[in-house]
């Protein structure tokens, strides 16, 4: 049976300012089996398809049809729980354990991202024989993180600050940066599709193969100190 940590306050110990999406597989108030996932920050219900939990309470994605569907674009949706196509600041964050990967950009395996031709997303592909993650607003150029290893837990954060650039962190430390100006959220509501986790077809066609722990989105660029705070809140759970 999977271990559920059952914390009374799921926001305890992490950065909460600007948080618009937060799911945590080992917290009962988020997921207790079945097909419904409850977002811990806004209470929205998401749909889990072909998902399971491992013995430690992490989401298991089978690489062929597992995914989590929010049913929302999470962009300009009329609530405070949204990214903005006006300010264009955002952060995507996930604990991931990659077992296999393939592709480079739109044929890679989605971690989290918009299903439409515009929006945001990060996905794991392959560089030679090892995995690496690519980052980019949909319909724009992408940039890559450094290579890493299969079958090991990684805390990945992409923090985008409009007019300054993007910073990617791996396990609490800076991994790569990009000063490119093409990562703004463009398009309109008919272009964004919805946010999915593990599969963002038709924009990104691959299914994630492996495990995920906590997954978050912020409507601002979180700082290196805040990244470290989030990493430290869960690193013992993942043996780091």
């Amino acid at each position: 049976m999977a271990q559920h940590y059952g914390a009374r306050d799921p926001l305890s110990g992490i950065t909460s300012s600007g948080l618009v999406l937060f799911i945590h597989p080992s917290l009962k108030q988020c997921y207790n089996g079945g097909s419904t996932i409850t977002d811990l920050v806004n209470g929205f219900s998401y749909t889990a398809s072909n998902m399971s939990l491992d013995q430690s309470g992490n989401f298991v994605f089978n690489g062929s049809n597992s995914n989590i569907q929010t049913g929302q674009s999470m962009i300009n949706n009329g609530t405070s729980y949204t990214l903005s196509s006006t300010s264009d600041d955002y952060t995507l964050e996930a604990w991931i354990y990659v077992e296999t990967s393939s592709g480079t950009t739109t044929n890679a395996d989605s971690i989290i991202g918009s299903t439409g031709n515009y929006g945001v997303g990060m996905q794991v592909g392959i560089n030679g024989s090892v995995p690496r993650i690519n980052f980019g607003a949909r319909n724009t150029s992408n940039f890559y993180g450094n290579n890493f290893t299969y079958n090991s837990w990684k805390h990945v954060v992409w923090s985008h600050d409009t007019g300054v650039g993007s910073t990617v962190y791996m396990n609490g430390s800076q991994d790569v940066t990009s000063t490119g100006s093409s990562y703004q959220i463009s398009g309109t509501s008919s272009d964004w599709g919805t946010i999915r986790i593990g599969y963002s077809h038709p924009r990104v066609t691959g299914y994630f193969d492996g495990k995920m722990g906590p997954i978050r989105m912020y409507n601002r660029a979180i700082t290196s100190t805040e990244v470290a705070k989030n990493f430290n809140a869960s690193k013992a759970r993942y043996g780091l």
Side-chain angles (χ1 to χ4, degrees), residues 14-15 17 62 80 89 94 101 115 157 164 169 173 187 189-190 201:
I14 68 164
T15 299
S17 176
N62 63 20
S80 58
D89 295 341
S101 62
T115 60
V157 180
V164 177
Y169 302 86
S173 299
S189 59
S190 61
H201 184 271

Side-chain angles (χ1 to χ4, degrees), residues 27-239:
L27 299 181
K28 287 185 177 181
Q29 59 264 59
C30 176
Y31 186 64
N32 199 23
S35 60
T36 300
I37 293 175
T38 302
D39 193 308
L40 293 167
V41 67
N42 56 45
F44 295 156
S45 292
Y46 304 147
T47 301
S49 297
N50 304 299
M51 299 294 303
S52 61
L53 294 178
D54 69 6
Q55 292 298 310
S56 298
N58 301 298
F59 288 125
V60 177
F61 293 77
N62 63 20
S64 61
N65 58 10
S66 300
N67 67 99
I68 299 169
Q69 305 155 41
T70 70
Q72 303 181 56
S73 71
M74 303 299 293
I75 304 170
N76 295 353
N77 65 6
T79 74
S80 58
Y81 305 112
T82 181
L83 305 184
S84 171
S85 63
T86 301
S87 65
D88 292 311
D89 295 341
Y90 52 83
T91 300
L92 305 183
E93 174 184 1
W95 279 92
I96 61 172
Y97 181 99
V98 181
E99 296 182 357
T100 67
S101 62
S102 61
T104 53
T105 54
T106 58
N107 62 342
D109 303 334
S110 177
I111 299 170
I112 181 171
S114 305
T115 60
N117 289 329
Y118 295 82
V120 295
M122 62 183 185
Q123 41 279 334
V124 58
I126 194 168
N127 182 29
S129 60
V130 293
R132 67 175 179 179
I133 299 171
N134 69 79
F135 308 85
R138 304 302 195 218
N139 204 45
T140 68
S141 60
N142 290 40
F143 69 99
Y144 294 95
N146 287 310
N147 297 344
F148 59 101
T149 57
Y150 288 119
N151 302 311
S152 61
W153 280 103
K154 302 296 181 185
H155 177 241
V156 182
V157 180
W158 173 25
S159 178
H160 176 68
D161 189 351
T162 301
V164 177
S166 289
T167 305
V168 169
Y169 302 86
M170 183 79 74
N171 288 351
S173 299
Q174 182 176 302
D175 184 53
V176 295
T177 61
S178 175
T179 58
S181 60
S182 60
Y183 309 122
Q184 286 78 10
I185 301 172
S186 55
T188 62
S189 59
S190 61
D191 302 313
W192 295 321
T194 60
I195 290 290
R196 284 189 181 180
I197 298 164
Y199 181 56
S200 298
H201 184 271
R203 184 59 184 172
V204 175
T205 58
Y207 283 94
F208 183 84
D209 183 19
K211 304 172 186 179
M212 292 194 202
I215 301 157
R216 304 182 186 97
M217 293 174 60
Y218 293 83
N219 61 11
R220 65 184 184 88
I222 68 173
T223 67
S224 59
T225 300
E226 291 169 325
V227 171
K229 180 179 180 180
N230 288 3
F231 172 68
N232 290 333
S234 297
K235 67 179 183 180
R237 169 176 163 80
Y238 296 107

